[in-house]
Every structure is written in structure tokens, then in C-alpha cells.
Amino acid sequence: MASTLPPGDPAPADGSLPPEALAGLGSRPFGVYVHVPFCATRCGYCDFNTYTAGELGTSASPESWLEGLRRELELAAQVLGSAPPASTVFVGGGTPSLLGADGLASVLDAVRASFGLTSAAEITTEANPESTSPEFFAGILRAGYNRVSLGAQSVAPHVLQILDRKHTPGRPVAAAGEARAAGFEHLNLDLIYGTPGERPDDLQASLDAVLDAGVDHVSAYALIIEEGTALERRIRRGELPSTDDDVLAERYEQVDSVLSTSGFRWYEVSNWAASMAARCRHNLNYWRGGDWWGAGPGAHSHIGGVRWWNVKHPARYASTLAEGRSPAAAREILSEEDLRVERVLLEIRLTEGLPLSVLDEPGVAEAKAAVADGLLSQSAFDGGRAVLTDEGRLLADAIVRRLLP
């Protein structure tokens, strides 16, 4: 979760939600996101709400965070009343694997205690390769996790150095092998492309390594230079070049070509899966406007058109909950127009695209023009949907601006 929180209206101290937000609870998928705010070191490109031990000092610890998490999940169950069991759980961060298998088992136990889980729940944890081991994977599998997302980013040593990643180039593939050996069927590896100094051969080596790892899901993101990060400062000082948009487009086409040739299919602009079962159901719930409770410092939630976000610092998060108050910093109640705009922003990025009925009249006219420009599929448009072409995926953000004139 990004470190800068948006403005919003004050959130009730008891965490209560309007009756209309709760009215459809259970008719939509329901997921739980848990934010682990701890990292061993800070990567130069990262602006997520994370903290190293040196930054926290004695103000917060994994133990105080976990106690706060239990309290928030208990509060969530009270607020939601007859909440459905969670169909997806995603533990992200930060570096969840720093908690160890026992710590992650405690996290999942807390979710079970407050909500329960569906029989076929997708339960994911992120992990950094350098803080995993065969014993770790065996432990989290026993605890109930059935999907792992590993941060690889690159296998090129000079790219890892620029990103301030601490793992060795071969560690992500080794970690994936350990997870498979432990019994995990669903594995994701994250890649970042467009790092200053990255060459096509560097990206190809990373893609080859990902395919050798035997994972069934790949996420690949263009490097975004976030303001205030160490990497942004280096580029601003002229120590590193910024990446040209045309180069990013070439890198994306390279990723898509290699993965598609190897049996992966894109289902969201930055995500490829080897099968329907390999798709990340938790993220699809985000993109399709479902319900989820985000627990942890800085985590965001959405229930029935109400979105809120928690206080950021782990110490304040824990102390607020210890005082019996909701950790929500602020919230917003989304209007029908807000929800429509968000549908366009998110669903256009999915392989099935967006119903044209979501667009207003000027938006439909723009969609028709985008078809003529080769950016949206003609056959999908004729069937009542706006679906990106291969060229359109390179310009997804620009197409959104056209569809929301």
C-alpha cells in the first residue's frame, strides 16, 4: 500500500458502516488483505508503507502488530455482523516472510477466528526469496496457505543493485523450487522491467529464469519512479537516466511475447497465468469491485461502496486498537459516478474488458474511435464490450482518459 494516503472524511471511531454498505454483503466475493509493514532493508524504488527495524526502534514490533491485527479483525467481524467467510486471503507488505512460518500461521489463525474461510479459499502470502527456506514453505503449507508470490524483480546483478534488492540473482528460482517441492501448486514471481541500465538481454535472462522456475503466474510491472524514493533522488541528481516510454513499451512487448509463447495468457495488463486456476482471485476481486477488509497499518478496505484506509505507523495502529478504537484514518463514500469511473479504470485492464453499457454516450463514441485506431477490439465492440487489443494494452491509461471524457 502506498505511503501517501488520500484525503477523506473522518471515519467513525467504532468503525461502523452505513446500512446500505452492508446490505449486499455476501452477494459479492469477500476477501481479507493483511498488511505486514516490516522489511529488513528498504529498496531504493519502494514507497510502500514499510519500516525497517532501525526506523521503528522500540515503538513497534511484530508482536505488537500481531496483537493489533487480532483486535482489528475482531472489530471487523463485529462491524460486518453476518460477514461471509473469506474466499480469498492475501498477506502482503512489506515482507511477510520475515514473520516466519509460525508468525504467518498466527495471522491466518486470526483471520479464521474472525471470519472463517470458504472450503476452496485462495490463501496467498508474499515472500522475499532471501527470507525463505524449505522449512518455511513446508510450515506455511501446513498452516493453510496454498499460494505464494515471490519477489524476483530481475536476475541481472547490476539491475538488482540499482533497485537495492539484496537477494542473489539465482535465489528466486531456488525459492520457487523449494516451494514446489513443499507441495505448492500455485506460485507467482514478480518482475520489474525498465530499470535504468537494463538491457533487452537482461530482461530475457529474467524471463528465462522465471520460466525455468516452473511457476504458473507472472506479474511484470514497469518501474515507476516514485517521488521521495532513493531511486528518484539518484535520477534527479543525474546519477541514473530515466527510462523512455518507448523503451518501456518495447520491454512490455518482450515480456508478453516470451510469456505467451510459453503458454501464459494475460488476464490483466500486468499479469499472466498458465491456466484459469492460476489467476489470482484476490486481485480479481479488487479489479471487479468486490468487498474486502484490509487489516494492518495503512491498509485500504472497500465494502459496498465505502472505502477507508488505516493509520500508517505501526505504533499508532497498535495503540489505537488497544484503546478500543478503529484504526481507520479516513474514509469516502463512493457515489454512483465514482463507482462507474472506477469500473472503467480497472475493468478495461482485464482480458474480458468492460461492458459498453458502463460508458456514457461520449464514452461510447470514444470507444468506437479507439476501435478505428486499432486500440480496442472490433469484434468485442460489436458484442457490446470494450476490450484492449495488443496495441491498446500499451496505451491503457490513455484509453481510460478517452473513455472518461
Side-chain angles (χ1 to χ4, degrees):
M1 298 294 168
S3 61
T4 302
L5 296 178
D9 297 323
D14 61 359
S16 59
L17 293 170
E20 56 269 25
L22 300 174
L25 196 63
S27 64
R28 302 175 294 268
F30 175 68
V32 175
Y33 172 77
V34 175
H35 184 69
V36 180
F38 308 111
C39 280
T41 60
R42 181 171 295 281
C43 298
Y45 61 91
C46 180
D47 78 333
F48 283 10
N49 187 44
T50 61
Y51 305 83
T52 66
E55 290 168 339
L56 285 174
T58 59
S59 67
S61 67
E63 292 74 23
S64 64
W65 166 83
L66 182 58
E67 183 56 36
L69 177 71
R70 292 191 182 102
R71 286 174 169 150
E72 184 180 3
L73 292 173
E74 290 168 359
L75 172 68
Q78 294 171 12
V79 168
L80 298 182
S82 56
S87 57
T88 64
V89 178
F90 196 106
V91 183
T95 309
S97 45
L98 285 179
L99 299 176
D102 289 345
L104 284 170
S106 296
V107 169
L108 192 53
D109 286 344
V111 175
R112 283 196 189 95
S114 291
F115 295 115
L117 301 169
T118 62
S119 59
E122 175 195 87
I123 306 169
T124 305
T125 183
E126 293 181 340
N128 276 5
E130 69 273 22
S131 54
T132 61
S133 65
E135 294 76 20
F136 169 82
F137 290 118
I140 63 172
L141 187 72
R142 285 194 301 270
Y145 291 85
N146 53 31
R147 187 173 183 275
V148 175
S149 181
L150 291 161
Q153 319 319 347
S154 176
V155 300
H158 68 100
V159 173
L160 292 173
Q161 184 177 19
I162 289 171
L163 294 174
D164 289 326
R165 296 289 293 184
K166 302 306 179 187
H167 62 74
T168 58
R171 180 57 198 155
V173 172
E178 292 166 1
R180 286 202 323 275
F184 279 95
E185 180 182 358
H186 297 305
L187 293 168
N188 171 66
L189 274 175
D190 281 344
L191 292 177
I192 290 178
Y193 60 88
T195 299
E198 180 191 58
R199 302 177 297 260
D201 288 351
D202 298 325
L203 180 56
Q204 185 62 50
S206 297
L207 291 164
D208 289 343
V210 165
L211 295 174
D212 289 344
V215 300
D216 64 352
H217 190 285
V218 179
S219 299
Y221 303 102
L223 178 65
I224 297 175
I225 310 301
E226 300 287 0
E227 186 176 353
T229 60
L231 185 57
E232 184 267 339
R233 290 191 292 272
R234 293 186 68 188
I235 291 174
R236 182 159 33 88
R237 291 194 299 262
E239 297 174 16
L240 295 170
S242 57
T243 303
D244 182 84
D245 286 345
D246 290 338
V247 172
L248 291 177
E250 291 171 4
R251 299 289 187 270
Y252 180 86
E253 290 176 325
Q254 181 181 357
V255 170
D256 185 58
S257 175
V258 171
L259 293 178
S260 297
T261 301
S262 301
F264 287 77
R265 296 291 176 264
W266 77 280
Y267 69 100
E268 192 273 344
V269 168
S270 297
N271 290 271
W272 290 258
S275 66
M276 292 291 289
R279 296 181 175 191
C280 181
R281 286 159 43 202
H282 186 84
N283 286 343
L284 281 167
N285 189 38
Y286 291 158
W287 298 325
R288 291 171 175 164
D291 292 333
W292 74 90
W293 191 289
H300 288 227
S301 302
H302 172 264
I303 301 290
V306 180
R307 180 165 52 217
W308 68 96
W309 44 95
N310 286 346
V311 297
K312 289 165 45 181
H313 199 280
R316 186 179 173 202
Y317 169 78
S319 64
T320 300
L321 283 156
E323 294 166 1
R325 294 184 290 117
S326 165
R331 77 179 189 186
E332 55 185 346
I333 298 177
L334 303 174
S335 67
E336 289 299 320
E337 178 62 10
D338 292 332
L339 292 169
R340 186 186 77 85
V341 167
E342 292 208 351
R343 284 196 68 182
V344 176
L345 286 167
L346 297 172
E347 291 184 26
I348 194 64
R349 296 176 60 87
L350 300 176
T351 189
E352 67 268 25
L354 173 80
L356 293 176
S357 58
V358 176
L359 303 175
D360 58 17
E361 189 172 342
V364 172
E366 285 292 337
K368 186 174 183 179
V371 169
D373 293 339
L375 303 177
L376 294 178
S377 162
Q378 178 70 67
S379 60
F381 184 87
D382 293 342
R385 301 189 72 84
V387 174
L388 296 172
T389 62
D390 289 347
E391 184 180 357
R393 277 190 278 160
L394 299 173
L395 299 168
D397 292 342
I399 292 171
V400 165
R401 291 192 291 271
R402 290 179 63 171
L403 298 182
L404 295 170

